[in-house]
DNA sequence: TTGCTAATGGAACAGGAGTCCCGTTTGTCG
DNA sequence: CGACAAACGGGACTCCTGTTCCATTAGCAA
């Protein structure tokens, strides 16, 4: 249960190792869609990926390690921030981006699985934290650009703005378990925009 | 796996049944704090509660049923909305209330466990949905009162406002896995207040 | 108090997840 | 091309979760 950096630090990152990882992560996502995190059996994943059960246990340790690595792999392919020209458009784009991720069967199941895993596993928790830290940083730039354009007050905290847009969508998905629609996404973007324009997201003076 | 209404509809709700339920739910919470949802073993719960393993399986069916019932029991003891006299104070109070719930070791672990359970179990999902539906309705009243006092524009959607305050806190807890502090709670309450005053939460005309 | 029945408890049983051992395959380097 | 080492694969084994059966206890009502 303590094999680190299975990604980059491999001593032999040759063809097979990478192939196995790809096949296993692919199979993991499929299983998550069909059975959810609690139903994620290493057995099944190994069989579906066409690799030995031993290999999966050796490299990932358990279901949590599996979803943590899956999250890491998703991090490398996450989309860059939008640039529609206005902060209104960019925030709406961010909301739609989140909406798309959580309504997509494959991605949605994956995110929920990692969230579930993170509640009881330190490794999955770190993977999740890292993923969103990067994503928020990336999208926070649209706020900085808006400030430069004079659309928003100087000192507006971009990370906070992006969090404020994303949070209500995830909140509905995993906490209140309400349906998340395009309407909700649009409303939320509008609400946050209003608060940002009013200067509610300006950083406190140090 | 289909024994309904173990709460109210019992044909014999006498002393022992209620005692057993209380002991089991108590033990469940303890186990959740120590091991999390994935580590919730019916065995352990039964032993800690001092009841037979068979009883726990019979009445709750599985770990998910256990946390679902726990959620239902928490619903009955959730606090009524605040009434500080100003919407600013009430929203801050709501933020602090959420903050208190998720930072409390016992409650925080419980909520995270139910959230994890809900990602893969329909029953837990319904319990969670019901709990927050009630809670949001309850606290939405502070917004209605504020509208009556003239603090906020007519037509402001109370449920949306409460969600907007609560969401960023839960988002940090379960999604981005950032620390949630009193600072964050206060900031969020302020941001939502600004948006509400600007009329961003006014319902669309039908 | 007495009997009925719901509810509980103990113990044996079954199924599956996770671990271990060792032989086999496959990159990689000289 | 050849050898070494890392990584993989299969199968047996163990332990624990969840189920089933039946005896026992304890509410409830007459």
């Amino acid at each position: 249960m303590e094999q680190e950096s299975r990604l980059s630090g491999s001593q032999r990152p040759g063809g097979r190792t990478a192939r196995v990882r790809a096949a296993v992560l692919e199979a993991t996502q499929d299983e998550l869609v069909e059975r959810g995190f609690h139903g994620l059996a290493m057995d099944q994943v190994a069989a579906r990926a066409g690799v030995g059960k031993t290999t999966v246990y050796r490299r990932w340790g358990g279901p949590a390690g599996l979803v943590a690595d899956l999250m890491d792999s998703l991090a490398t392919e996450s989309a860059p921030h939008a640039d529609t020209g206005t902060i209104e458009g960019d925030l709406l784009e961010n909301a739609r981006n989140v909406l798309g991720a959580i309504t997509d069967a494959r991605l949605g199941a994956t995110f929920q699985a990692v969230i579930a895993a993170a509640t009881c596993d330190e490794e999955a928790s770190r993977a999740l934290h890292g993923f969103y830290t990067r994503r928020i940083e990336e999208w926070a730039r649209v706020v900085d650009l808006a400030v430069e354009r004079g659309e928003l007050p100087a000192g507006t905290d971009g990370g906070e703005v992006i969090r404020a847009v994303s949070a209500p969508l995830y909140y509905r998905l995993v906490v209140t378990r309400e349906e998340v629609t395009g309407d909700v996404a649009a409303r939320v973007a509008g609400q946050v925009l209003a608060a940002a324009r009013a200067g509610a997201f300006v950083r406190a003076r140090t």
Side-chain angles (χ1 to χ4, degrees), chain A:
Chain A
M1 205 58 94
E2 54 113 334
Q3 79 295 37
E4 79 296 37
S5 76
R6 52 186 81 78
L7 301 156
S8 45
S10 293
Q11 294 197 18
R12 183 178 284 188
R16 186 163 69 162
T17 298
R19 260 197 320 273
V20 167
R21 184 167 104 107
V24 168
L25 293 187
E26 182 80 13
T28 299
Q29 254 191 330
D30 289 340
E31 287 289 310
L32 286 179
V33 172
E34 293 177 15
R35 310 195 196 287
F37 177 67
H38 89 296
L40 189 65
M42 304 295 271
D43 255 4
Q44 301 291 329
V45 171
R48 190 191 280 244
V51 303
K53 181 173 66 157
T54 313
T55 300
V56 181
Y57 276 108
R58 189 163 30 217
R59 285 184 60 182
W60 289 277
L66 223 36
V67 297
D69 193 23
L70 184 56
M71 197 82 238
D72 286 338
S73 95
L74 285 179
T76 67
E77 38 183 280
S78 79
H81 70 77
D83 190 6
T84 62
T86 66
I87 185 62
E88 182 170 5
D90 288 347
L91 289 186
L92 186 58
E93 200 50 43
N94 178 62
R96 287 209 182 115
N97 188 298
V98 172
L99 174 69
I102 66 186
T103 40
D104 177 74
R106 210 171 163 71
L107 280 177
T110 304
F111 281 123
Q112 288 196 52
V114 185
I115 288 168
T119 64
C120 60
D121 180 86
E122 191 51 40
E123 193 182 0
S125 177
R126 271 196 303 272
L128 206 52
H129 181 75
F131 179 86
Y132 284 103
T133 299
R134 275 193 292 269
R135 190 188 181 284
I136 290 170
E137 266 176 24
E138 168 69 18
W139 281 81
R141 297 193 201 166
V142 304
V143 173
D144 297 338
L145 294 174
V147 170
E148 286 173 22
R149 286 193 301 259
E151 286 190 273
L152 293 177
T156 298
D157 188 326
E160 288 289 287
V161 173
I162 296 303
R163 271 180 268 248
V165 173
S166 310
L169 305 177
Y170 283 100
Y171 176 70
R172 283 173 167 84
L173 175 72
V174 297
V175 180
T176 66
R177 295 256 144 198
E178 301 170 84
E179 213 192 339
V180 187
T181 65
D183 264 19
V184 174
R187 271 206 314 267
V188 166
Q191 291 154 7
V192 174
L193 180 61
R197 281 186 176 144
F201 288 95
V202 174
R203 291 185 193 81
R205 313 201 113 274
T206 46

